[in-house]
Every structure is written in C-alpha cells, then in structure tokens.
Amino acid sequence: MYPAPFEYHAPSSLDDAIALLSTYGEDAKLIAGGHSLLPLMKLRFTQPAHLIDLRMVPGLADIRDVGSSVVIGARTTHAMLEASSVLQRKIPLLAQTAGCIGDPLVRNAGTIGGSLAHADPGADLPAAILALEAEMTAVGPRGSRKISAHDFFVGMLTTALDAGEVLSEIRVPVPPARSGSAYEKFAHPASRYALVGVAALVTLGSGDVIQQVRIGITGVGARATRAATVEQELTGKRADEALIRDAASHAAEGLEPRGDLQGSPEYKAHLVRVSVRKALTRALDSVV
Ligand SMILES: Cc1cc2nc3c(=O)[nH]c(=O)nc-3n(C[C@H](O)[C@H](O)[C@H](O)COP(=O)(O)OP(=O)(O)OC[C@H]3O[C@@H](n4cnc5c(N)ncnc54)[C@H](O)[C@@H]3O)c2cc1C
C-alpha cells in the first residue's frame, strides 16, 4: 500500500525543523530513518500531511566522547553505534544492543533518536538506555530541556517529548571501573524484534560485592522498564551463581507481561526470568 499524500520538508537547521513543527502542529511528523514511520504510513495507521525530514539538519549524527559521558546525536544510525570504537571501549552495552537490531538494512537506516522517540514496546535500545541511565535532550520552541531515561518512556508508543519538540541528543554516562554489561535478546525468528530483551549493567566493589546493578527490560509490557526488585535484591551482596539464579527467579514480579500472538503472559514471564539470569551472568563474566 502507498502512504496518503503528504508535503515533504527538508529543513537545513534544527531551528527550521522546530519552526515547521510549530507551523503544522498535529498535521506534521518528523522523519529520521523512516523504518518505523513509513511502514505505519503505508498501512495508513498514520497520515501526516507534512513530513519534516531531519536528514539535512547538521550536527545530529555524531558520537562525541566528552570524558565521563558520550553524547550521541539523535540521527546516529544503529550501524554507527554498533561500529563506534568509542562505544565499544567505553559503553559496550550500547554498541552491542544496536548490533542486535533487525538486519543490516534496518541498522543502516534506523536511528537512535527515531527508535527512542517511537517507543515501540519491543524496541531494543530503550532497555539499554534505561540500564545506562542516559539523559535525553529535547529542543522545542521554548528552548531545550533534559529528560532522564526513567521519565522518558511513558507508555505504548508514547514518550515525555512534547508534540513540538525534537529529540536532539542522548548523553550516556560512562560506567565506572569494574563494570560489566550484556544485552540478552530473545528475538522473534521472523521480525527479529525482541519478544524479551534484557540489558544488564553490573559494577563490582571490593570482594566482588555488587556495588550497583541496573537492569532494563523490553518487549514485556507497554513500555520498557527497570527490574527494580532484582536490582535491590542483588545490591550489596557478593556476586555468585546461586545469588543470580535466585534473584532472576523473581524478575517477572511486578511486571505485567502482555499476551499476544507471540506468546502468553506466562511464557513471557518465563522468558524474562531466563533472560535476566543470562544477561546478569554474561555481564558479570565481562567485568574487567
Ligand atoms: C524490518 C524491520 C525490522 C526491525 N527490527 C527491529 C529490531 O529488531 N529492534 C528494534 O529495536 N527496532 C527494529 N526495527 C525498528 C527500527 O530500529 C527503526 O528504525 C527505529 O525504531 C526507528 O528509527 P527511525 O530512525 O527509522 O525512525 P522513523 O521511522 O523515522 O521515526 C519513528 C518515529 O520517531 C519520530 N522521530 C524520529 N526522530 C525523531 C527525533 N529526533 N525527535 C523526535 N521524534 C523523532 C518520528 O516522528 C516517528 O514518529 C525494525 C524495523 C524494520 C522495518
């Protein structure tokens, strides 16, 4: 199917993109990689009269190492995240998660900003962004503001971005020394979307005591979320196999898995428990 007719705009600055959003309001949509928006337009689930393309806006597609954090432009593609030597060295969780998305075609076109702004409940990056406690910058007609990962994902396909705002960049703190991480994805064999995806980030203190652990989960409910109970259960304890197994067995508590064509709520809860155990085990194995 073809999308409904629309007018195409290619602003050459962020200010122009924001001005166009203000002018056309609800009739307008931003487009970045188009890999989530265009399928919806072709199905006519959404019919924007104006498409505002971010591809000509300079400075939105880069990865900057600023010491204690890495700043990523919203139009940076999944392939760029995966291939980034800065991320592989300093924040491997993000590079690894991006490398699990779809196939090379999807990773070459899809962007981190598009994925986060779209907030698909099965998208991979939100799990890593939550575990890394990243901070989003939203720019709109009234200037810019920061939104924490915790506050960003509001519900199914819904974020804390206002209608007139553009997500411009994502600041990701570099994990402290003695940290390890892993993204564990149970992918649908056809779509490659996550039935369940778990991003784990663990930091050890002296005597291998878990100083800090953060777990982001995607695919289960209406939005990506943190496994707060498991995090609390592990913090301050010495990391070993029995502890991880025990804590992971509670990982689905407090979540409300969606039953759908891919599986029942019970099946999804089982996948959560197994994936949390695997992600934590791999994260601990990767601590250097
Ligand atoms: C075959 C296929 C397989 C896929 N598999 C996976 C997978 O395994 N895992 C996964 O996570 N994803 C998967 N995706 C989705 C893919 O990663 C998308 O590219 C991504 O979710 C959206 O990024 P985009 O740049 O294409 O956004 P677009 O489609 O251009 O935009 C998506 C939405 O975000 C808004 N938007 C875009 N950029 C901004 C911005 N800077 N500020 C504010 N709003 C913005 C748009 O208005 C739109 O509403 C798949 C897609 C396809 C087609």
Side-chain angles (χ1 to χ4, degrees):
M1 227 168 130
Y2 294 106
F6 57 85
E7 197 176 325
Y8 175 80
H9 306 266
S12 54
S13 72
L14 194 51
D15 284 348
D16 288 352
I18 292 163
L20 284 164
L21 270 182
S22 297
T23 304
Y24 297 113
E26 284 186 356
D27 290 337
K29 275 241 169 240
L30 296 169
I31 183 164
H35 267 49
S36 289
L37 183 60
L38 288 178
L40 294 178
M41 287 173 62
K42 287 184 176 180
L43 291 167
R44 304 216 173 179
F45 287 151
T46 182
Q47 303 187 22
H50 297 270
L51 263 196
I52 304 168
D53 194 340
L54 291 173
R55 275 177 304 175
M56 300 302 152
V57 176
L60 286 186
D62 54 4
I63 298 172
R64 280 177 288 135
D65 182 353
V66 294
S68 60
S69 53
V70 175
V71 179
I72 301 167
R75 229 191 58 241
T76 304
T77 63
H78 309 320
M80 288 164 71
L81 299 176
E82 182 186 12
S84 160
S85 56
V86 169
L87 289 179
Q88 286 169 7
R89 194 163 30 87
K90 299 184 90 166
I91 313 180
L93 179 59
L94 203 51
Q96 194 212 329
T97 306
C100 292
I101 294 174
D103 54 39
L105 194 67
V106 174
R107 294 196 291 275
N108 279 325
T111 67
I112 182 169
S115 175
L116 300 180
H118 189 57
D120 187 301
D124 296 292
L125 287 174
I129 287 298
L130 281 167
L132 289 160
E133 292 193 341
E135 182 184 72
M136 272 48 83
T137 300
V139 189
R142 286 181 297 279
S144 76
R145 65 185 178 115
K146 312 282 184 203
I147 310 171
S148 70
H150 176 267
D151 294 334
F152 190 79
F153 304 104
V154 173
M156 171 92 69
L157 305 180
T158 310
T159 69
L161 287 171
D162 289 337
E165 286 180 324
V166 178
L167 172 59
S168 63
E169 61 183 32
I170 300 100
R171 179 178 291 265
V172 190
V174 176
R178 298 216 66 210
S179 292
S181 62
Y183 183 61
E184 184 70 34
K185 176 172 180 173
F186 191 90
H188 187 280
S191 73
R192 305 305 301 158
Y193 268 98
L195 260 74
V196 168
V198 176
L201 175 66
V202 187
T203 306
L204 296 181
S206 62
D208 283 351
V209 166
I210 298 177
Q211 202 171 295
Q212 180 179 273
V213 54
R214 301 198 212 114
I215 303 165
I217 301 184
T218 191
V220 181
R223 64 183 169 93
T225 184
R226 290 263 293 269
T229 320
V230 181
E231 292 177 0
Q232 277 162 20
E233 223 170 306
L234 292 172
T235 306
K237 303 209 176 105
R238 196 174 174 283
D240 64 31
E241 205 186 316
L243 176 75
I244 299 302
R245 203 180 39 241
D246 219 49
S249 70
H250 305 297
E253 288 168 17
L255 303 179
E256 287 171 8
R258 279 174 299 129
D260 53 25
L261 284 177
Q262 276 83 50
S264 64
E266 294 75 24
Y267 177 61
K268 295 272 186 82
H270 171 70
L271 286 181
V272 168
R273 290 188 286 269
V274 173
S275 304
V276 166
R277 179 174 52 75
K278 286 184 169 178
L280 286 169
T281 305
R282 282 178 46 213
L284 283 165
D285 286 347
S286 73
V287 174
V288 280

